[in-house]
C-alpha cells in the first residue's frame, strides 16, 4: 500500500483539489512547485495562502502535510517564449495550441518531481493534468503520463505511481470532487484563495473566485462553477 505522496501543487483549483485528494488517501503528503519566471507571481503567493488555509481549516489533514518545496526552473524562460514567461498577449497558435504552451514543461516537472520524490522517499506523484477540458497540451495526455511513469520508474530504479485524479473529469466535476473531499469549506477555500487566471488578476471577484473573467482559464473555471452550482 502506498502511503507517501508528492503533489505538484501550483496553487490553482486543480492542484488544490489534487492535494485534498492526496490528503484524504495518504499518510504523508509533500508539495512541490516550480518557479520558472511566471509573469505573475500571484500564483506562487496564492499557493502559500492555500497551504496555510488548509492547515488552519482542516486539522485532520494538517498533521499529514509535510514539507513544501519550491524548485527554481528559470531555465524554462531561456528555452521557450510563451505568454506565461514573457510579456506577450495570450493567443492561440496556428498549430491549435495556446501560446501558453511550453514544450515539454510537464515532462520536466515530472522528472524533477520524481528526483525529489526519490530523495524524500515518496512513491506516489499526484498531478492535476486533464485531457477532458480545453488545452490539448500533449504533455498532459494520459498516454504521456503512463510513458513518464514507466520511464521514471525504470530510469530511477524505483516504482513510481503517477496519479492523475482529474484526467477524465471536467471542471464541474472537479468542483464536485472538492465538495466530496472537503465539503463547502473546501469549495469556499478554493474560490477565495486559489488562483487560475492567466492574467494574474486578483482584483475582480466573482462567485467562482478572482480573475479577469475572460482568459481561457477564467472561462473554464467560471463555466464549471456554474454547472457545479446548478447540480448541487
Ligand atoms: Zn483570467
Amino acid at each position: 500500500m502506498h502511503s507517501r505522496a508528492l503533489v505538484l501543487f501550483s496553487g490553482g483549483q486543480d492542484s488544490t483539489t489534487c492535494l485534498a485528494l492526496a490528503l484524504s488517501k495518504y499518510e504523508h503528503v509533500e508539495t512541490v512547485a516550480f518557479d520558472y519566471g511566471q509573469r505573475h507571481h500571484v500564483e506562487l503567493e496564492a499557493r502559500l495562502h492555500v497551504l496555510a488555509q488548509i492547515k488552519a481549516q482542516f486539522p485532520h489533514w494538517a498533521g499529514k502535510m509535510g514539507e513544501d518545496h519550491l524548485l527554481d526552473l528559470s531555465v524554462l524562460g531561456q528555452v521557450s517564449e510563451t505568454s506565461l514567461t514573457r510579456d506577450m498577449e495570450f493567443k492561440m497558435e496556428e498549430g491549435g495550441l495556446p501560446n501558453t504552451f511550453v514544450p515539454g514543461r510537464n515532462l520536466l516537472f515530472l522528472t524533477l518531481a520524481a528526483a525529489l520524490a526519490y530523495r524524500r522517499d515518496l512513491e506516489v506523484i499526484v498531478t492535476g493534468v486533464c485531457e477532458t477540458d480545453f488545452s490539448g497540451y500533449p504533455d498532459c495526455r494520459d498516454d504521456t503520463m503512463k510513458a513518464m511513469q514507466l520511464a521514471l520508474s525504470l530510469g530511477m530504479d524505483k516504482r513510481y505511481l503517477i496519479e492523475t485524479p482529474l484526467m477524465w473529469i471536467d471542471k464541474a466535476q472537479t468542483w464536485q470532487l472538492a465538495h466530496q473531499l472537503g465539503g463547502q469549506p473546501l469549495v469556499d477555500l478554493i474560490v477565495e484563495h486559489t488562483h487560475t487566471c492567466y492574467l494574474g488578476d486578483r482584483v475582480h471577484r466573482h462567485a467562482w473566485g478572482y480573475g479577469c473573467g475572460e482568459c481561457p482559464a477564467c472561462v473554464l473555471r467560471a463555466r464549471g462553477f456554474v454547472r457545479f452550482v446548478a447540480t448541487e
Side-chain angles (χ1 to χ4, degrees):
M1 246 332 248
H2 299 296
S3 67
R4 294 169 62 83
L6 177 64
V7 180
L8 274 69
F9 177 65
S10 70
Q13 174 191 354
D14 291 348
S15 65
T16 301
T17 307
C18 287
L19 175 58
L21 182 95
L23 288 167
S24 72
K25 279 176 81 169
Y26 302 113
E27 292 310 308
H28 177 83
V29 177
E30 301 191 10
T31 41
V32 63
F34 305 93
D35 186 351
Y36 50 96
Q38 289 94 324
R39 272 198 309 173
H40 309 287
H41 266 253
V42 173
E43 234 187 54
L44 295 178
E45 282 162 30
R47 63 190 297 284
L48 297 179
H49 290 299
V50 173
L51 288 176
Q53 287 294 325
I54 291 179
K55 274 188 187 147
Q57 294 188 42
F58 298 87
H60 59 295
W61 286 346
K64 298 177 166 189
M65 290 169 76
E67 257 183 71
D68 176 47
H69 311 267
L70 182 64
L71 304 184
D72 177 9
L73 208 49
S74 49
V75 65
L76 265 188
Q78 282 178 276
V79 297
S80 74
E81 261 192 23
T82 85
S83 70
L84 283 183
T85 52
R86 302 284 169 88
D87 203 8
M88 290 159 63
E89 202 176 320
F90 179 89
K91 64 173 172 47
M92 295 302 284
E93 303 277 18
E94 273 173 26
L97 285 167
N99 67 346
T100 47
F101 176 62
V102 181
R105 182 175 54 165
N106 272 305
L107 308 183
L108 265 175
F109 285 1
L110 285 168
T111 303
L112 292 169
L116 181 65
Y118 190 96
R119 174 164 68 80
R120 304 288 304 163
D121 197 24
L122 310 165
E123 60 265 301
V124 185
I125 298 169
V126 187
T127 169
V129 291
C130 170
E131 259 197 53
T132 312
D133 274 320
F134 152 93
S135 82
Y137 292 138
D139 57 348
C140 292
R141 285 187 290 212
D142 193 47
D143 283 352
T144 308
M145 292 301 116
K146 291 190 167 109
M148 282 304 282
Q149 176 174 289
L150 185 61
L152 294 169
S153 296
L154 286 172
M156 297 191 192
D157 198 21
K158 177 182 162 84
R159 191 83 178 95
Y160 291 109
L161 174 67
I162 296 184
E163 195 171 5
T164 57
L166 312 184
M167 183 60 78
W168 305 115
I169 66 177
D170 63 23
K171 275 283 185 290
Q173 291 168 310
T174 303
W175 285 108
Q176 272 158 18
L177 177 59
H179 193 267
Q180 281 164 26
L181 293 165
Q184 195 58 38
L186 184 60
V187 172
D188 292 343
L189 186 158
I190 288 172
V191 166
E192 193 59 37
H193 296 289
T194 68
H195 185 83
T196 313
C197 175
Y198 284 147
L199 302 184
D201 186 328
R202 294 297 292 173
V203 177
H204 298 97
R205 171 64 152 83
H206 315 263
W208 44 267
Y210 290 92
C212 70
E214 278 160 30
C215 74
C218 280
V219 169
L220 258 186
R221 178 166 165 148
R223 275 197 203 137
F225 190 77
V226 168
R227 277 188 292 130
F228 161 64
V229 171
T231 56
E232 254 192 313

